[in-house]
Amino acid sequence: MNFVAFERAKQGTGASRRLRNSGKTPGIVYGGTAEPQLIEIDHNALWHALKKEAFHSSVLDMEVAGSTSKVLLRDVQYHPYKQLVLHIDFQRVDAKTKLHMKVPLHFSGAEESPAVKVDHCLVNPVVNELDVSCMPSDLPEFIAVDLSKLQKGSSLHLKDIKLPKGVTAVIRGNKNNPVLVSVAAPVVVVETPAEAAPAADAKGKGKGKK
């Protein structure tokens, strides 16, 4: 994805407020050997771009003053209750340096799995994104996860999926094979005979009055 930004000369709370009032969002680009660069972006264009999953997980082409560079979205600050982006941060991408990013997981095939189709189990995603490390050219927009072979009483772990070429998962803590998707057996509600007793008693009382 590509977007257009403009150089921003002034900084500070007052300057940022005036910028937002004019329909622009202040931001910064950092990383690499260059100095941090202050930028501003059209707010409406940015708001729509932020709704796209790829804007959060892909290497972006940023055009500033006729020059294009590769960046990653690193942080977004939203207004507490208004539909307003207060500030945005980007990091420069070095084509020869590995990235550490969160990539969305796209699940499919659950309805065709034996767990759902035969045993009527509930399939529950435990995580919706995965920390990965890779070169910028290998960064996937998302990772597809096939759930069509899930069985009752099983779960899907990290080692059960195939990661794209050049991509490795970044694991934190002691769990080297975390659960990505769990399978829960359906809840069976059993009616007890006691529930029918009040109706029977009512009939008996009615007959006694006659």
Side-chain angles (χ1 to χ4, degrees), residues 57-197:
S57 59
S58 302
V59 176
L60 308 171
D61 293 316
M62 182 185 70
E63 181 183 337
V64 180
S67 178
T68 301
S69 57
K70 303 286 187 182
V71 298
L72 289 172
L73 174 63
R74 282 306 190 191
D75 188 53
V76 185
Q77 297 176 25
Y78 293 95
H79 192 278
Y81 56 88
K82 295 181 181 179
Q83 291 188 345
L84 181 67
V85 181
L86 299 177
H87 195 274
I88 192 162
D89 294 2
F90 296 95
Q91 180 183 350
R92 297 185 184 95
V93 172
D94 181 355
K96 298 180 180 179
T97 304
K98 279 191 172 185
L99 302 174
H100 179 194
M101 283 285 292
K102 289 183 180 294
V103 175
L105 297 177
H106 284 191
F107 300 107
S108 64
E111 295 300 321
E112 288 74 41
S113 69
V116 175
K117 201 169 185 178
V118 178
D119 297 304
H120 308 291
C121 295
L122 300 176
V123 174
N124 303 310
V126 177
V127 295
N128 293 311
E129 58 186 11
L130 190 65
D131 280 337
V132 302
S133 176
C134 63
M135 299 300 292
S137 58
D138 293 327
L139 181 66
E141 184 178 324
F142 61 87
I143 296 174
V145 180
D146 181 18
L147 304 179
S148 62
K149 295 182 180 179
L150 283 177
Q151 301 282 343
K152 180 181 180 181
S154 66
S155 57
L156 187 79
H157 291 74
L158 175 60
K159 292 183 179 179
D160 296 327
I161 68 171
K162 184 178 180 180
L163 296 176
K165 183 180 178 182
V167 177
T168 57
V170 178
I171 306 299
R172 293 186 176 88
N174 300 323
K175 295 183 179 180
N176 59 1
N177 190 27
V179 175
L180 304 182
V181 177
S182 65
V183 178
V187 178
V188 179
V189 179
V190 179
E191 292 187 1
T192 61
E195 293 177 357

